[in-house]
Each structure stands twice: as structure tokens, then as C-alpha cells.
Amino acid sequence: MSEEIVLNIENLHVYYGAIHAIKGISVNVPKGKIITLIGANGAGKTTTLSTITGLVKAKSGKIVYNGIDITNKPAHTVNRMGIALVPEGRRIFPELTVYENLMMGAFNRKDKEGIKQDLEWVFELFPRLKERLSQLGGTLSGGEQQMLAISRALMSRPKLLMMDEPSLGLAPILVEEVFEVIKKINEEGTTILLVEQNAFGALNISHYGYVLETGKIVLEGPSQELLNDETVKKAYLGIG
Amino acid sequence: MGISSGSFFLQNLFNAIMLGGLYALIAVGYTMVYGILRLINFAHGDIMMMGVYFAFYAATILSLSSIPAAIVAVLGAAGLGFLIDRIAYKPLRNAPRISALITAIAMSFFLESFAVVVFGAVPKSFLSVFKDRSILNKVLTVGGAKIPLLTFLVIILTAAIFAVLFWIVYRTKIGMAMRAISMDIPTTSLMGINVDMVIGFTFALGSALAAASGIMWAMRYPNVFPYMGFMPGLKAFIAAVVGGIGSIPGAIVGGLVLGAVEIFAVSYFPDLSGYRDAFSFIILIAILLIKPSGILGKKAIEKV
Ligand SMILES: Nc1ncnc2c1ncn2[C@@H]1O[C@H](COP(=O)(O)OP(=O)(O)OP(=O)(O)O)[C@@H](O)[C@H]1O
Ligand SMILES: [Mg+2]
């Protein structure tokens, strides 16, 4: 059975000066799925996402999106092709209002009706945002900023949504809520590449997972299998 | 009219607002570029000078009448600002900040030398652009003070330009992108925004305002020469720092403070008129001692 591949990373190498941060990884993201990339601090998760978006340049290897080579394309071009990122640390525009932050996500869209619909959609996902539309982004709580960062990415109506540790720094109850929302977004048709340190949460909602260690993929497989894998249990789930 | 009379005060007040507004128009260009790139565009005063020359030649060589000549010049300056960013600053975006700063100083010298060589060092008279000055020289009497119509015109025009600027920055999408870039460039590009285009637009906008200021300046002081951008540029830069560099309202406040101090000090202490230009520096030093971030400036946030 051949499934449609949205994103295909092949033998990617990334350097920061002399630091070899990504050492030849290959990743496939099939359409309609949640794919997760787990790994410890400094494994290279953020670097991988940054390279896909074009903010960091690849040394060698290939990133193909819907059949088009996007390796080292500028970030704004990559976004316009339908890839949105919920960045590490949220990166809300602190002095823009919540509404303006959302509109930044929809910056290149011309379909006023569609934008309105998507606003309603994100308010459904995160009702708290609706009450804070005119508040400055920087005055939101950490959890609210994360909701805004996810919503902002959704406002571009991406074909591929990438998220960099969306559960980081959230209270346990909110972590659960965020994972539920990610699942819901996926069920409504968006393909997702999820980067997490919270391996349990990520593997629980995803279809397939990759384990990244110091720039290399050391393990991959269907998420359910990884959840039961002894090494994963030991190293990332804190059991066994 | 005595020095302590109300009408004397009023007359000076109008002059102060006019001069302050002209400084503010230039200061905005410094502050917008600094807000986005943390770069002091030392060539900014020279772009004002180029704008005045553009108006001069549009009126003389192209024999346009005054208003079309001014519009052509403002658009020409906008294009020049965009071009300077593309050629001189854009290649240095990821270089150490000092490189861009040195380039800005070099660009200033270049524009001045260019003007000397191409336009000539001999001052030209801007009177040829606005031939029909009889209306502008008309004097209105307000509260006993005699104010030339030109002063009113400049103040109203300046206010209108600022209204348009605020509309662009706070009410349009490109303005929102400008503000976003001043907070976080990589994240702005993740929103699908071509950051270099927006930066280019910012340079164009600031240059257009500087040219508008220069043209109004030349209507008041009709001497056009290659170094005419230096002093107003320097004072506008001081105005931007005094008001709080990076803040557009700050540029306006700073400009008005500088204009007021300069006009009132010279009028009420005529003996000091020789030190006219020194007042700006005294204010600069004072503000750097009292509130280094400027009147409306936030605490300096160092960008990483
Ligand atoms: N801008 C940079 N300059 C130099 N080295 C960097 C830079 N960014 C990341 N690195 C290095 O690259 C490696 C991978 O970093 P990366 O941020 O991708 O890890 P990560 O998996 O996202 O970690 P975390 O879970 O802590 O966010 C690390 O060794 C890091 O020190
Ligand atoms: Mg990371």
C-alpha cells in the first residue's frame, strides 16, 4: 500500500560552524498522520524543524515537500507553500495584540471568509483566546501563549503543521488539553510533525515515531510499538 | 512687540512647532530603521538632501510645477532609500552590527560627494521650485502675532503626513509586519512574510518622510547645497534619541522638544544665538544623564 508522503527528509546533515548537529537523518511524514520526533535535550529536534522551515541551512541532504525540493528555501517561501511552525518557546509577538498575532498567521491569505471561519475554529479549540483578543501577546500567561502560538500557526491553514515541544512548561492538566487539541486538529485533516520531550504524550497520540539521539535517528517505528519498546521505556518514559 | 508679550510667545510657538515637526519627520526615519535593524542610518540626512535636489531638478529640468515636483521628489527619495538598503545594508544583515554602521557612514560621505560632483558645490536657490511665493509669504495675524502662511502650511502638512504614517504603521498589514519585525525577525519570516521586502519598505517610507521634510525646509530656507542634510540630520538623530529611539511617538516628542528649545532659547536670549546648534547637544547630554532610554523609550532591550 502506498501512502501519500507530505514531507520526506533524506540523509540530512546540518552544521553550526564546526558542530555537527544533524548527522544524516531520514524522516517520512505521510499525509493525514501525526509523526513524532522524540529525543533528549540537544538531540537536534529544533534544528531539524528549523532546517525544514529554512531558518537554518542544510549542509547536505534533501527535504522534499509534496514532491517539491524545498531544501534551503527561504522561510517565507516555505511557509507560503503550506508549512507552519509552532516554534520552541512560543515566540508570540509581545507587543502585538492577540488578534494581531492571529492575523500575522493569516498574513498571506486573501480569503476573508475563510479567515473568519478559521478564527471561529481556533476559538472553538481555545475559547480563552476569544476573551483576550485585544490584550497584548506579551501579557498572556505561558499556557495562553502556547494556545496562541498553535492558533497563529493554524490561521495559515497549513497542510503540514510542525510543533516544537508544545507541552513544555505547561501544567499537567494543560499538557493533556494540548495533546487532545493536537489530536483533534489532526482528525480534522491536518498532517502533523510533532517534536516532544514528553515521549509518553507524543507517542500516545501519534501514528509513527522517530527517536533522535545526538543528531542521529536511533530507533523508529509505529508509536504503539515504541511505547512498548524496552529501550524507549528506560530512556524516555522513565519505566523499566 | 516686546519680548515678554503674548504675541511674541505665540509667534515663537508656531516657529517651534514648525521646526520641531520638520525634525520629527526626519527623526522617524532614524527611529524606524533603528527599531528594526538596530542600525543608525547615518546617510538619512543625506537622503533628505537628495530629495531636495530631486525636487529642484524636477521643477527646473522637467519643468514640473511645484506640487508634482514635490511628489516626484518624495517618490524618488523613497526609491533611493530602498536602493541604498538593497545595495549597502542588506548584504550585511548577518554581519556584526559595526560593519553596517561603518557602511552607513560611508554611504553618507558617498551621497554628499555624489551631490558635489553631479549637482555642484555651489548652492542653488529653491525659489525656482516655488515661483509663486506671494501666497506663501502672506501673513496671518493670530492673537496679535504675525504668522506667515507658509508656517501654517508646513505645520498642517506635517501633521497630515504623521496621520498617514500612523495609519500605515498601526492600521495596515505592512505596518503590522513592520512592528512584528522590530520584535522578532525569524518568527516574522515564519509567518510567510518576506522580511527583506518589509525592511526595504521601511527604508522607502522613512526616506520619503525625510524628503518631504527637506522640501518644506527648503521652502523656508531656500539654500540647496550638498551638505544641507548634515545639520538637520544630526539634530533629527538627536531628536530620535531624546524621544526614545525606536519609538515613533518618541521621534515626534523629541523633534518638538528640540525645535522648541532652539527657537525659544534664541528668541529669549538673543546673545546665545551663536550657540543655536549647541542647544541640541546640551539636551542630548541632559537626557542621556537623566533617562538614557529617552523620554518615551522603553528600557533598552538588547536584541540577541
Ligand atoms: N545556534 C546554534 N549555534 C550553535 N550550536 C547550536 C545552535 N543551535 C543549536 N545548537 C547545537 O545543536 C545541537 C542540537 O540542538 P537543538 O536545539 O536542535 O536540540 P533540541 O533537540 O531541540 O534540544 P531541546 O530539547 O533542548 O530543545 C545542540 O548540541 C546545540 O548545542
Ligand atoms: Mg529544541
Side-chain angles (χ1 to χ4, degrees), chain B residues 21-29 32 44 47-48 74 77-78 158 160-162 164-166 168-169 202-216 248:
Chain B
L22 292 179
Y23 286 152
L25 278 176
I26 310 173
V28 162
M32 289 194 302
H44 192 55
I47 292 174
M48 167 208 153
V74 167
T158 305
I161 292 171
F162 272 116
V164 171
L165 176 74
F166 274 86
I168 292 175
V169 173
T202 307
F203 271 92
L205 185 59
S207 304
L209 299 194
S213 175
I215 291 166
M216 291 191 275
I248 294 177

PDB file of all heavy atoms in Angstrom, chain B residues 21-29 32 44 47-48 74 77-78 158 160-162 164-166 168-169 202-216 248:
ATOM      1  N   GLY B  21       8.456  69.896  13.977  1.00  0.00           N
ATOM      2  CA  GLY B  21       7.798  68.947  13.084  1.00  0.00           C
ATOM      3  C   GLY B  21       8.732  68.492  11.981  1.00  0.00           C
ATOM      4  O   GLY B  21       8.763  67.311  11.626  1.00  0.00           O
ATOM      5  N   LEU B  22       9.503  69.438  11.445  1.00  0.00           N
ATOM      6  CA  LEU B  22      10.450  69.081  10.379  1.00  0.00           C
ATOM      7  C   LEU B  22      11.533  68.128  10.905  1.00  0.00           C
ATOM      8  O   LEU B  22      11.899  67.159  10.241  1.00  0.00           O
ATOM      9  CB  LEU B  22      11.086  70.338   9.777  1.00  0.00           C
ATOM     10  CG  LEU B  22      10.119  71.233   8.989  1.00  0.00           C
ATOM     11  CD1 LEU B  22      10.837  72.469   8.461  1.00  0.00           C
ATOM     12  CD2 LEU B  22       9.454  70.473   7.855  1.00  0.00           C
ATOM     13  N   TYR B  23      12.026  68.403  12.118  1.00  0.00           N
ATOM     14  CA  TYR B  23      12.975  67.472  12.735  1.00  0.00           C
ATOM     15  C   TYR B  23      12.326  66.106  12.920  1.00  0.00           C
ATOM     16  O   TYR B  23      12.924  65.064  12.654  1.00  0.00           O
ATOM     17  CB  TYR B  23      13.442  67.984  14.107  1.00  0.00           C
ATOM     18  CG  TYR B  23      14.429  69.142  14.052  1.00  0.00           C
ATOM     19  CD1 TYR B  23      14.503  70.056  15.091  1.00  0.00           C
ATOM     20  CD2 TYR B  23      15.299  69.293  12.974  1.00  0.00           C
ATOM     21  CE1 TYR B  23      15.406  71.111  15.066  1.00  0.00           C
ATOM     22  CE2 TYR B  23      16.197  70.342  12.934  1.00  0.00           C
ATOM     23  CZ  TYR B  23      16.246  71.258  13.989  1.00  0.00           C
ATOM     24  OH  TYR B  23      17.136  72.286  13.954  1.00  0.00           O
ATOM     25  N   ALA B  24      11.087  66.148  13.393  1.00  0.00           N
ATOM     26  CA  ALA B  24      10.393  64.882  13.699  1.00  0.00           C
ATOM     27  C   ALA B  24      10.230  64.020  12.450  1.00  0.00           C
ATOM     28  O   ALA B  24      10.399  62.804  12.506  1.00  0.00           O
ATOM     29  CB  ALA B  24       9.038  65.167  14.337  1.00  0.00           C
ATOM     30  N   LEU B  25       9.931  64.660  11.332  1.00  0.00           N
ATOM     31  CA  LEU B  25       9.749  63.901  10.088  1.00  0.00           C
ATOM     32  C   LEU B  25      11.023  63.140   9.712  1.00  0.00           C
ATOM     33  O   LEU B  25      10.969  62.020   9.213  1.00  0.00           O
ATOM     34  CB  LEU B  25       9.376  64.837   8.933  1.00  0.00           C
ATOM     35  CG  LEU B  25       7.912  65.252   8.810  1.00  0.00           C
ATOM     36  CD1 LEU B  25       7.751  66.250   7.676  1.00  0.00           C
ATOM     37  CD2 LEU B  25       7.013  64.049   8.589  1.00  0.00           C
ATOM     38  N   ILE B  26      12.149  63.784   9.960  1.00  0.00           N
ATOM     39  CA  ILE B  26      13.418  63.100   9.662  1.00  0.00           C
ATOM     40  C   ILE B  26      13.705  62.055  10.739  1.00  0.00           C
ATOM     41  O   ILE B  26      14.134  60.942  10.457  1.00  0.00           O
ATOM     42  CB  ILE B  26      14.590  64.102   9.570  1.00  0.00           C
ATOM     43  CG1 ILE B  26      14.219  65.265   8.642  1.00  0.00           C
ATOM     44  CG2 ILE B  26      15.857  63.421   9.071  1.00  0.00           C
ATOM     45  CD1 ILE B  26      15.243  66.379   8.610  1.00  0.00           C
ATOM     46  N   ALA B  27      13.421  62.436  11.984  1.00  0.00           N
ATOM     47  CA  ALA B  27      13.730  61.551  13.114  1.00  0.00           C
ATOM     48  C   ALA B  27      13.012  60.203  12.992  1.00  0.00           C
ATOM     49  O   ALA B  27      13.551  59.163  13.374  1.00  0.00           O
ATOM     50  CB  ALA B  27      13.351  62.228  14.430  1.00  0.00           C
ATOM     51  N   VAL B  28      11.799  60.236  12.449  1.00  0.00           N
ATOM     52  CA  VAL B  28      11.030  58.997  12.304  1.00  0.00           C
ATOM     53  C   VAL B  28      11.786  57.966  11.469  1.00  0.00           C
ATOM     54  O   VAL B  28      11.777  56.773  11.764  1.00  0.00           O
ATOM     55  CB  VAL B  28       9.652  59.311  11.677  1.00  0.00           C
ATOM     56  CG1 VAL B  28       9.028  58.061  11.112  1.00  0.00           C
ATOM     57  CG2 VAL B  28       8.749  59.927  12.709  1.00  0.00           C
ATOM     58  N   GLY B  29      12.484  58.440  10.437  1.00  0.00           N
ATOM     59  CA  GLY B  29      13.255  57.529   9.601  1.00  0.00           C
ATOM     60  C   GLY B  29      14.378  56.851  10.380  1.00  0.00           C
ATOM     61  O   GLY B  29      14.602  55.652  10.254  1.00  0.00           O
ATOM     62  N   MET B  32      12.641  54.317  12.897  1.00  0.00           N
ATOM     63  CA  MET B  32      12.046  53.107  12.331  1.00  0.00           C
ATOM     64  C   MET B  32      13.129  52.110  11.931  1.00  0.00           C
ATOM     65  O   MET B  32      13.012  50.914  12.191  1.00  0.00           O
ATOM     66  CB  MET B  32      11.178  53.448  11.112  1.00  0.00           C
ATOM     67  CG  MET B  32       9.891  54.156  11.483  1.00  0.00           C
ATOM     68  SD  MET B  32       8.677  54.194  10.127  1.00  0.00           S
ATOM     69  CE  MET B  32       9.569  55.020   8.831  1.00  0.00           C
ATOM     70  N   HIS B  44      20.885  59.076   6.454  1.00  0.00           N
ATOM     71  CA  HIS B  44      19.495  59.526   6.386  1.00  0.00           C
ATOM     72  C   HIS B  44      19.361  61.023   6.088  1.00  0.00           C
ATOM     73  O   HIS B  44      18.534  61.435   5.285  1.00  0.00           O
ATOM     74  CB  HIS B  44      18.794  59.170   7.699  1.00  0.00           C
ATOM     75  CG  HIS B  44      17.317  59.315   7.645  1.00  0.00           C
ATOM     76  ND1 HIS B  44      16.545  58.680   6.698  1.00  0.00           N
ATOM     77  CD2 HIS B  44      16.456  60.026   8.409  1.00  0.00           C
ATOM     78  CE1 HIS B  44      15.277  58.998   6.894  1.00  0.00           C
ATOM     79  NE2 HIS B  44      15.201  59.816   7.919  1.00  0.00           N
ATOM     80  N   ILE B  47      19.849  61.616   2.504  1.00  0.00           N
ATOM     81  CA  ILE B  47      18.707  61.245   1.665  1.00  0.00           C
ATOM     82  C   ILE B  47      17.739  62.427   1.601  1.00  0.00           C
ATOM     83  O   ILE B  47      17.169  62.739   0.557  1.00  0.00           O
ATOM     84  CB  ILE B  47      18.024  59.981   2.218  1.00  0.00           C
ATOM     85  CG1 ILE B  47      18.956  58.782   2.060  1.00  0.00           C
ATOM     86  CG2 ILE B  47      16.699  59.730   1.505  1.00  0.00           C
ATOM     87  CD1 ILE B  47      18.466  57.506   2.683  1.00  0.00           C
ATOM     88  N   MET B  48      17.605  63.124   2.747  1.00  0.00           N
ATOM     89  CA  MET B  48      16.798  64.343   2.748  1.00  0.00           C
ATOM     90  C   MET B  48      17.344  65.341   1.724  1.00  0.00           C
ATOM     91  O   MET B  48      16.610  65.908   0.914  1.00  0.00           O
ATOM     92  CB  MET B  48      16.820  64.954   4.154  1.00  0.00           C
ATOM     93  CG  MET B  48      16.290  66.367   4.201  1.00  0.00           C
ATOM     94  SD  MET B  48      17.031  67.307   5.558  1.00  0.00           S
ATOM     95  CE  MET B  48      16.900  68.961   4.899  1.00  0.00           C
ATOM     96  N   VAL B  74       9.605  63.102  -3.609  1.00  0.00           N
ATOM     97  CA  VAL B  74       9.342  62.220  -2.468  1.00  0.00           C
ATOM     98  C   VAL B  74       9.401  60.759  -2.911  1.00  0.00           C
ATOM     99  O   VAL B  74      10.008  59.906  -2.250  1.00  0.00           O
ATOM    100  CB  VAL B  74       7.975  62.557  -1.827  1.00  0.00           C
ATOM    101  CG1 VAL B  74       7.540  61.459  -0.869  1.00  0.00           C
ATOM    102  CG2 VAL B  74       8.063  63.889  -1.086  1.00  0.00           C
ATOM    103  N   ALA B  77      13.025  59.839  -3.587  1.00  0.00           N
ATOM    104  CA  ALA B  77      13.764  59.597  -2.353  1.00  0.00           C
ATOM    105  C   ALA B  77      13.399  58.234  -1.780  1.00  0.00           C
ATOM    106  O   ALA B  77      14.263  57.507  -1.272  1.00  0.00           O
ATOM    107  CB  ALA B  77      13.474  60.699  -1.338  1.00  0.00           C
ATOM    108  N   ALA B  78      12.116  57.872  -1.878  1.00  0.00           N
ATOM    109  CA  ALA B  78      11.685  56.558  -1.391  1.00  0.00           C
ATOM    110  C   ALA B  78      12.433  55.464  -2.138  1.00  0.00           C
ATOM    111  O   ALA B  78      12.964  54.523  -1.535  1.00  0.00           O
ATOM    112  CB  ALA B  78      10.176  56.391  -1.559  1.00  0.00           C
ATOM    113  N   THR B 158       2.752  68.682   7.821  1.00  0.00           N
ATOM    114  CA  THR B 158       3.489  67.762   8.692  1.00  0.00           C
ATOM    115  C   THR B 158       2.517  66.900   9.493  1.00  0.00           C
ATOM    116  O   THR B 158       2.672  65.678   9.581  1.00  0.00           O
ATOM    117  CB  THR B 158       4.413  68.544   9.643  1.00  0.00           C
ATOM    118  OG1 THR B 158       5.255  69.381   8.858  1.00  0.00           O
ATOM    119  CG2 THR B 158       5.264  67.613  10.470  1.00  0.00           C
ATOM    120  N   ALA B 160      -0.516  66.163   8.744  1.00  0.00           N
ATOM    121  CA  ALA B 160      -1.211  65.237   7.844  1.00  0.00           C
ATOM    122  C   ALA B 160      -0.317  64.050   7.505  1.00  0.00           C
ATOM    123  O   ALA B 160      -0.780  62.897   7.492  1.00  0.00           O
ATOM    124  CB  ALA B 160      -1.626  65.968   6.573  1.00  0.00           C
ATOM    125  N   ILE B 161       0.967  64.334   7.266  1.00  0.00           N
ATOM    126  CA  ILE B 161       1.894  63.235   6.950  1.00  0.00           C
ATOM    127  C   ILE B 161       1.995  62.268   8.124  1.00  0.00           C
ATOM    128  O   ILE B 161       1.995  61.053   7.961  1.00  0.00           O
ATOM    129  CB  ILE B 161       3.281  63.791   6.578  1.00  0.00           C
ATOM    130  CG1 ILE B 161       3.202  64.549   5.246  1.00  0.00           C
ATOM    131  CG2 ILE B 161       4.301  62.667   6.454  1.00  0.00           C
ATOM    132  CD1 ILE B 161       4.461  65.319   4.896  1.00  0.00           C
ATOM    133  N   PHE B 162       2.037  62.835   9.334  1.00  0.00           N
ATOM    134  CA  PHE B 162       2.113  61.955  10.502  1.00  0.00           C
ATOM    135  C   PHE B 162       0.845  61.120  10.657  1.00  0.00           C
ATOM    136  O   PHE B 162       0.899  59.955  11.060  1.00  0.00           O
ATOM    137  CB  PHE B 162       2.408  62.754  11.778  1.00  0.00           C
ATOM    138  CG  PHE B 162       3.874  62.923  12.011  1.00  0.00           C
ATOM    139  CD1 PHE B 162       4.459  64.175  11.988  1.00  0.00           C
ATOM    140  CD2 PHE B 162       4.679  61.815  12.226  1.00  0.00           C
ATOM    141  CE1 PHE B 162       5.826  64.322  12.185  1.00  0.00           C
ATOM    142  CE2 PHE B 162       6.040  61.952  12.419  1.00  0.00           C
ATOM    143  CZ  PHE B 162       6.615  63.215  12.396  1.00  0.00           C
ATOM    144  N   VAL B 164      -0.973  60.001   8.246  1.00  0.00           N
ATOM    145  CA  VAL B 164      -0.852  58.909   7.277  1.00  0.00           C
ATOM    146  C   VAL B 164       0.140  57.857   7.794  1.00  0.00           C
ATOM    147  O   VAL B 164      -0.101  56.650   7.716  1.00  0.00           O
ATOM    148  CB  VAL B 164      -0.397  59.432   5.899  1.00  0.00           C
ATOM    149  CG1 VAL B 164      -0.071  58.276   4.964  1.00  0.00           C
ATOM    150  CG2 VAL B 164      -1.467  60.326   5.304  1.00  0.00           C
ATOM    151  N   LEU B 165       1.251  58.340   8.363  1.00  0.00           N
ATOM    152  CA  LEU B 165       2.257  57.410   8.883  1.00  0.00           C
ATOM    153  C   LEU B 165       1.660  56.507   9.968  1.00  0.00           C
ATOM    154  O   LEU B 165       1.848  55.287   9.954  1.00  0.00           O
ATOM    155  CB  LEU B 165       3.446  58.184   9.453  1.00  0.00           C
ATOM    156  CG  LEU B 165       4.510  57.292  10.103  1.00  0.00           C
ATOM    157  CD1 LEU B 165       5.318  56.565   9.044  1.00  0.00           C
ATOM    158  CD2 LEU B 165       5.435  58.093  11.011  1.00  0.00           C
ATOM    159  N   PHE B 166       0.920  57.113  10.905  1.00  0.00           N
ATOM    160  CA  PHE B 166       0.322  56.318  11.980  1.00  0.00           C
ATOM    161  C   PHE B 166      -0.679  55.314  11.425  1.00  0.00           C
ATOM    162  O   PHE B 166      -0.770  54.189  11.896  1.00  0.00           O
ATOM    163  CB  PHE B 166      -0.339  57.217  13.031  1.00  0.00           C
ATOM    164  CG  PHE B 166       0.632  57.673  14.068  1.00  0.00           C
ATOM    165  CD1 PHE B 166       1.416  58.808  13.866  1.00  0.00           C
ATOM    166  CD2 PHE B 166       0.807  56.957  15.240  1.00  0.00           C
ATOM    167  CE1 PHE B 166       2.337  59.220  14.813  1.00  0.00           C
ATOM    168  CE2 PHE B 166       1.724  57.354  16.195  1.00  0.00           C
ATOM    169  CZ  PHE B 166       2.497  58.498  15.973  1.00  0.00           C
ATOM    170  N   ILE B 168      -0.510  53.931   8.476  1.00  0.00           N
ATOM    171  CA  ILE B 168       0.256  52.836   7.867  1.00  0.00           C
ATOM    172  C   ILE B 168       0.795  51.892   8.939  1.00  0.00           C
ATOM    173  O   ILE B 168       0.641  50.677   8.865  1.00  0.00           O
ATOM    174  CB  ILE B 168       1.430  53.385   7.016  1.00  0.00           C
ATOM    175  CG1 ILE B 168       0.897  54.105   5.776  1.00  0.00           C
ATOM    176  CG2 ILE B 168       2.385  52.255   6.606  1.00  0.00           C
ATOM    177  CD1 ILE B 168       1.967  54.780   4.938  1.00  0.00           C
ATOM    178  N   VAL B 169       1.413  52.468   9.969  1.00  0.00           N
ATOM    179  CA  VAL B 169       2.109  51.626  10.941  1.00  0.00           C
ATOM    180  C   VAL B 169       1.136  50.844  11.827  1.00  0.00           C
ATOM    181  O   VAL B 169       1.389  49.686  12.162  1.00  0.00           O
ATOM    182  CB  VAL B 169       3.068  52.475  11.798  1.00  0.00           C
ATOM    183  CG1 VAL B 169       3.674  51.637  12.924  1.00  0.00           C
ATOM    184  CG2 VAL B 169       4.177  53.053  10.929  1.00  0.00           C
ATOM    185  N   THR B 202      10.360  49.930   4.750  1.00  0.00           N
ATOM    186  CA  THR B 202      10.617  50.833   5.875  1.00  0.00           C
ATOM    187  C   THR B 202      11.618  51.918   5.489  1.00  0.00           C
ATOM    188  O   THR B 202      11.428  53.101   5.814  1.00  0.00           O
ATOM    189  CB  THR B 202      11.145  50.030   7.077  1.00  0.00           C
ATOM    190  OG1 THR B 202      10.247  48.958   7.344  1.00  0.00           O
ATOM    191  CG2 THR B 202      11.274  50.915   8.304  1.00  0.00           C
ATOM    192  N   PHE B 203      12.677  51.504   4.803  1.00  0.00           N
ATOM    193  CA  PHE B 203      13.650  52.491   4.323  1.00  0.00           C
ATOM    194  C   PHE B 203      12.982  53.483   3.365  1.00  0.00           C
ATOM    195  O   PHE B 203      13.208  54.692   3.446  1.00  0.00           O
ATOM    196  CB  PHE B 203      14.816  51.794   3.610  1.00  0.00           C
ATOM    197  CG  PHE B 203      15.941  51.422   4.521  1.00  0.00           C
ATOM    198  CD1 PHE B 203      15.980  50.177   5.125  1.00  0.00           C
ATOM    199  CD2 PHE B 203      16.955  52.325   4.792  1.00  0.00           C
ATOM    200  CE1 PHE B 203      17.016  49.835   5.980  1.00  0.00           C
ATOM    201  CE2 PHE B 203      18.001  51.989   5.639  1.00  0.00           C
ATOM    202  CZ  PHE B 203      18.023  50.733   6.240  1.00  0.00           C
ATOM    203  N   ALA B 204      12.160  52.958   2.454  1.00  0.00           N
ATOM    204  CA  ALA B 204      11.485  53.824   1.486  1.00  0.00           C
ATOM    205  C   ALA B 204      10.588  54.830   2.202  1.00  0.00           C
ATOM    206  O   ALA B 204      10.594  56.029   1.897  1.00  0.00           O
ATOM    207  CB  ALA B 204      10.672  52.978   0.511  1.00  0.00           C
ATOM    208  N   LEU B 205       9.844  54.329   3.175  1.00  0.00           N
ATOM    209  CA  LEU B 205       8.917  55.202   3.904  1.00  0.00           C
ATOM    210  C   LEU B 205       9.674  56.299   4.661  1.00  0.00           C
ATOM    211  O   LEU B 205       9.343  57.486   4.576  1.00  0.00           O
ATOM    212  CB  LEU B 205       8.094  54.341   4.879  1.00  0.00           C
ATOM    213  CG  LEU B 205       6.975  55.022   5.658  1.00  0.00           C
ATOM    214  CD1 LEU B 205       5.955  55.623   4.705  1.00  0.00           C
ATOM    215  CD2 LEU B 205       6.291  54.025   6.591  1.00  0.00           C
ATOM    216  N   GLY B 206      10.710  55.900   5.374  1.00  0.00           N
ATOM    217  CA  GLY B 206      11.495  56.878   6.121  1.00  0.00           C
ATOM    218  C   GLY B 206      12.136  57.905   5.202  1.00  0.00           C
ATOM    219  O   GLY B 206      12.180  59.103   5.512  1.00  0.00           O
ATOM    220  N   SER B 207      12.605  57.448   4.056  1.00  0.00           N
ATOM    221  CA  SER B 207      13.256  58.360   3.109  1.00  0.00           C
ATOM    222  C   SER B 207      12.252  59.331   2.508  1.00  0.00           C
ATOM    223  O   SER B 207      12.556  60.507   2.289  1.00  0.00           O
ATOM    224  CB  SER B 207      13.926  57.553   1.990  1.00  0.00           C
ATOM    225  OG  SER B 207      14.830  56.630   2.543  1.00  0.00           O
ATOM    226  N   ALA B 208      11.047  58.839   2.249  1.00  0.00           N
ATOM    227  CA  ALA B 208      10.004  59.721   1.719  1.00  0.00           C
ATOM    228  C   ALA B 208       9.695  60.838   2.712  1.00  0.00           C
ATOM    229  O   ALA B 208       9.565  62.010   2.338  1.00  0.00           O
ATOM    230  CB  ALA B 208       8.742  58.905   1.419  1.00  0.00           C
ATOM    231  N   LEU B 209       9.604  60.475   3.991  1.00  0.00           N
ATOM    232  CA  LEU B 209       9.311  61.492   5.008  1.00  0.00           C
ATOM    233  C   LEU B 209      10.466  62.484   5.114  1.00  0.00           C
ATOM    234  O   LEU B 209      10.249  63.692   5.282  1.00  0.00           O
ATOM    235  CB  LEU B 209       9.058  60.841   6.367  1.00  0.00           C
ATOM    236  CG  LEU B 209       7.883  59.872   6.470  1.00  0.00           C
ATOM    237  CD1 LEU B 209       7.558  59.585   7.930  1.00  0.00           C
ATOM    238  CD2 LEU B 209       6.650  60.429   5.787  1.00  0.00           C
ATOM    239  N   ALA B 210      11.705  61.987   5.018  1.00  0.00           N
ATOM    240  CA  ALA B 210      12.858  62.893   5.086  1.00  0.00           C
ATOM    241  C   ALA B 210      12.832  63.865   3.916  1.00  0.00           C
ATOM    242  O   ALA B 210      13.095  65.061   4.077  1.00  0.00           O
ATOM    243  CB  ALA B 210      14.160  62.085   5.083  1.00  0.00           C
ATOM    244  N   ALA B 211      12.484  63.359   2.732  1.00  0.00           N
ATOM    245  CA  ALA B 211      12.420  64.233   1.560  1.00  0.00           C
ATOM    246  C   ALA B 211      11.322  65.273   1.732  1.00  0.00           C
ATOM    247  O   ALA B 211      11.513  66.456   1.425  1.00  0.00           O
ATOM    248  CB  ALA B 211      12.178  63.404   0.302  1.00  0.00           C
ATOM    249  N   ALA B 212      10.173  64.837   2.247  1.00  0.00           N
ATOM    250  CA  ALA B 212       9.082  65.791   2.485  1.00  0.00           C
ATOM    251  C   ALA B 212       9.542  66.886   3.436  1.00  0.00           C
ATOM    252  O   ALA B 212       9.292  68.074   3.221  1.00  0.00           O
ATOM    253  CB  ALA B 212       7.865  65.057   3.052  1.00  0.00           C
ATOM    254  N   SER B 213      10.238  66.465   4.483  1.00  0.00           N
ATOM    255  CA  SER B 213      10.767  67.442   5.433  1.00  0.00           C
ATOM    256  C   SER B 213      11.749  68.380   4.733  1.00  0.00           C
ATOM    257  O   SER B 213      11.701  69.605   4.908  1.00  0.00           O
ATOM    258  CB  SER B 213      11.459  66.714   6.592  1.00  0.00           C
ATOM    259  OG  SER B 213      12.063  67.643   7.459  1.00  0.00           O
ATOM    260  N   GLY B 214      12.642  67.817   3.929  1.00  0.00           N
ATOM    261  CA  GLY B 214      13.645  68.616   3.249  1.00  0.00           C
ATOM    262  C   GLY B 214      13.030  69.650   2.308  1.00  0.00           C
ATOM    263  O   GLY B 214      13.482  70.798   2.234  1.00  0.00           O
ATOM    264  N   ILE B 215      11.983  69.232   1.613  1.00  0.00           N
ATOM    265  CA  ILE B 215      11.336  70.150   0.672  1.00  0.00           C
ATOM    266  C   ILE B 215      10.688  71.316   1.426  1.00  0.00           C
ATOM    267  O   ILE B 215      10.807  72.478   1.035  1.00  0.00           O
ATOM    268  CB  ILE B 215      10.310  69.386  -0.186  1.00  0.00           C
ATOM    269  CG1 ILE B 215      11.063  68.439  -1.138  1.00  0.00           C
ATOM    270  CG2 ILE B 215       9.426  70.346  -0.970  1.00  0.00           C
ATOM    271  CD1 ILE B 215      10.190  67.392  -1.785  1.00  0.00           C
ATOM    272  N   MET B 216      10.030  70.980   2.536  1.00  0.00           N
ATOM    273  CA  MET B 216       9.411  72.061   3.328  1.00  0.00           C
ATOM    274  C   MET B 216      10.488  72.942   3.958  1.00  0.00           C
ATOM    275  O   MET B 216      10.343  74.154   4.073  1.00  0.00           O
ATOM    276  CB  MET B 216       8.493  71.458   4.394  1.00  0.00           C
ATOM    277  CG  MET B 216       7.257  70.808   3.779  1.00  0.00           C
ATOM    278  SD  MET B 216       6.008  70.373   4.985  1.00  0.00           S
ATOM    279  CE  MET B 216       6.579  68.783   5.519  1.00  0.00           C
ATOM    280  N   ILE B 248       8.112  55.716  17.544  1.00  0.00           N
ATOM    281  CA  ILE B 248       7.647  56.740  16.602  1.00  0.00           C
ATOM    282  C   ILE B 248       7.053  57.953  17.342  1.00  0.00           C
ATOM    283  O   ILE B 248       7.411  59.088  17.032  1.00  0.00           O
ATOM    284  CB  ILE B 248       6.663  56.141  15.579  1.00  0.00           C
ATOM    285  CG1 ILE B 248       7.417  55.131  14.698  1.00  0.00           C
ATOM    286  CG2 ILE B 248       6.048  57.233  14.710  1.00  0.00           C
ATOM    287  CD1 ILE B 248       6.541  54.411  13.701  1.00  0.00           C
TER     288      ILE B 248
END
